[in-house]
Amino acid sequence: MKVMYGSFYRAASLKEAVFLLAEKTVSTKILSGGTDLMVRMKKGEICPDRLLSITRIPELAAVRRENGKIVFGSALTFSAIQSSILMNEEAPFMIEAASQVGSPQIRAVGTIGGNVVNAAPHADTVPVLVALDGKAKVVSTRGEKLIPVSELVLGPHRTALLADEILTEFSFEVLQPGTGTAFLKLGRRSVMVRARISAACAVCLDDKDIVTDVRIAAGAVTPKCERFRPAEEILLGRRMTEKGIKEASGEVSREMVNRGGVRWSTEYKAPVVSVLVERALRIASSRAHKEFMR
């Protein structure tokens, strides 16, 4: 264990990190990329007694295929996701999301685990993880458990993670062959933009354009990020058509209001989320055609 600056610890292993986090005499915050954490500390929103860095634990930054799943560490940076051949093959919309996070400098140090644990409504990778039915592995001195990302993130800046638990990795089932994906987001600026609305979609078509699998998730529009299953049901098992896409995207808009109620932003977000999902579904379907023809 290496101690720096009195309140900074860099764990050499996951076992050590879990042990240190379990100490109840001091308040500890995990430091991975720090791009959100340091901002919140500077604002005085959080004041931990110490920071525990997990950046030197190799398994937390690895990507691998395992028993029909893609497994990747929580300390994987957005830049590493962008350059991952495996991620590009199995979940290209994750790369699209990662490439739109902040600036190149932020992507070089910011991590997917931090993006999820910070639980900001505009977090780019959360809708993709939810669309993938991603699971998060959480470890403590009591053992480990798997939690769906849709259940881990409870709402704006709230998660189900306990104070002595570390988010170590994510996993998702490999999508069906011939699946196309898309991630789109809308913000106030063209660069370094925080999403006001985002959409993550995956569509699998057979040779007759019948939808055999579809996932729709959207960010920054509901209290917590979950799949829009009623909208998915409109498309599943049917031929993909423009009419179906419009019906499904309209259902997303209606479901957004059902989940979150009417707010000051609803008048703007309701039609915009419909258009964004419509575009994402259309792109994902087009890519599904190309995948099927391979």
Side-chain angles (χ1 to χ4, degrees):
M1 178 176 64
K2 185 177 181 181
V3 182
M4 295 180 65
Y5 309 117
S7 61
F8 178 86
Y9 290 75
R10 176 171 284 125
S13 67
L14 180 58
K15 182 178 180 180
E16 182 185 34
V18 169
F19 174 79
L20 289 170
L21 198 61
E23 293 182 1
K24 300 184 182 299
T25 55
V26 292
S27 62
T28 303
K29 280 290 184 181
I30 296 292
L31 175 66
S32 186
T35 55
D36 290 311
L37 177 64
M38 302 309 292
V39 172
R40 295 186 66 193
M41 288 179 62
K42 187 175 182 179
K43 289 181 178 179
E45 295 176 356
I46 52 175
C47 300
D49 295 325
R50 70 179 175 193
L51 297 178
L52 176 59
S53 173
I54 59 172
T55 57
R56 298 287 179 85
I57 303 175
E59 62 264 36
L60 299 189
V63 186
R64 66 186 187 277
R65 190 190 303 272
E66 184 179 280
N67 299 323
K69 298 180 181 180
I70 304 301
V71 183
F72 51 103
S74 61
L76 198 67
T77 66
F78 300 115
S79 293
I81 291 173
Q82 285 180 265
S83 61
S84 170
I85 295 174
L86 189 56
M87 199 70 77
N88 184 58
E89 291 174 348
E90 301 298 345
F93 62 161
M94 179 64 81
I95 290 179
E96 289 179 330
S99 68
Q100 296 184 55
V101 174
S103 64
Q105 294 87 346
I106 289 174
R107 293 193 291 272
V109 295
T111 65
I112 188 167
N115 200 227
V116 172
V117 171
N118 187 52
H122 57 262
D124 292 315
T125 60
V126 171
V128 177
L129 286 167
V130 169
L132 288 167
D133 284 338
K135 303 291 193 303
K137 180 188 281 190
V138 173
V139 178
S140 69
T141 54
R142 299 181 301 281
E144 60 183 47
K145 58 186 178 182
L146 285 177
I147 307 175
V149 173
S150 60
E151 296 177 15
L152 178 66
V153 180
L154 301 177
H157 301 293
R158 294 191 304 116
T159 73
L161 204 65
L162 301 179
D164 64 343
E165 294 177 329
I166 298 179
L167 171 59
T168 61
E169 67 182 30
F170 298 97
S171 62
F172 63 88
E173 301 265 351
V174 171
L175 296 172
Q176 296 180 30
T179 297
T181 67
F183 173 82
L184 298 174
K185 76 174 182 179
L186 181 68
R188 293 178 177 175
R189 304 190 302 270
S190 59
V191 293
M192 292 183 65
V193 61
R194 288 187 173 186
R196 298 192 72 183
I197 302 175
S198 62
C201 296
V203 175
C204 186
L205 304 175
D206 66 12
D207 60 343
K208 296 181 180 179
D209 280 350
I210 301 299
V211 179
T212 59
D213 188 24
V214 58
R215 287 98 176 285
I216 303 172
V221 296
T222 51
K224 59 179 295 188
C225 187
E226 299 175 284
R227 285 173 60 179
F228 286 85
R229 296 186 186 275
E232 295 172 358
E233 289 296 325
I234 291 174
L235 299 171
L236 195 60
R238 302 177 183 178
R239 190 171 183 273
M240 182 62 84
T241 62
E242 280 294 318
K243 180 181 177 181
I245 288 175
K246 288 185 179 294
E247 288 180 1
S249 58
E251 179 59 31
V252 169
S253 180
R254 288 187 289 274
E255 186 64 17
M256 180 198 79
V257 177
N258 290 339
R259 293 183 190 180
V262 177
R263 304 174 61 194
W264 67 268
S265 60
T266 302
E267 184 178 1
Y268 161 76
K269 286 191 171 183
V272 173
V273 71
S274 178
V275 172
L276 201 66
V277 169
E278 181 181 332
R279 290 176 181 174
L281 283 171
R282 194 176 290 117
I283 292 170
S285 299
S286 175
R287 291 171 176 173
H289 276 290
K290 294 177 182 178
E291 287 292 320
F292 185 84
M293 295 301 292
R294 284 188 177 184

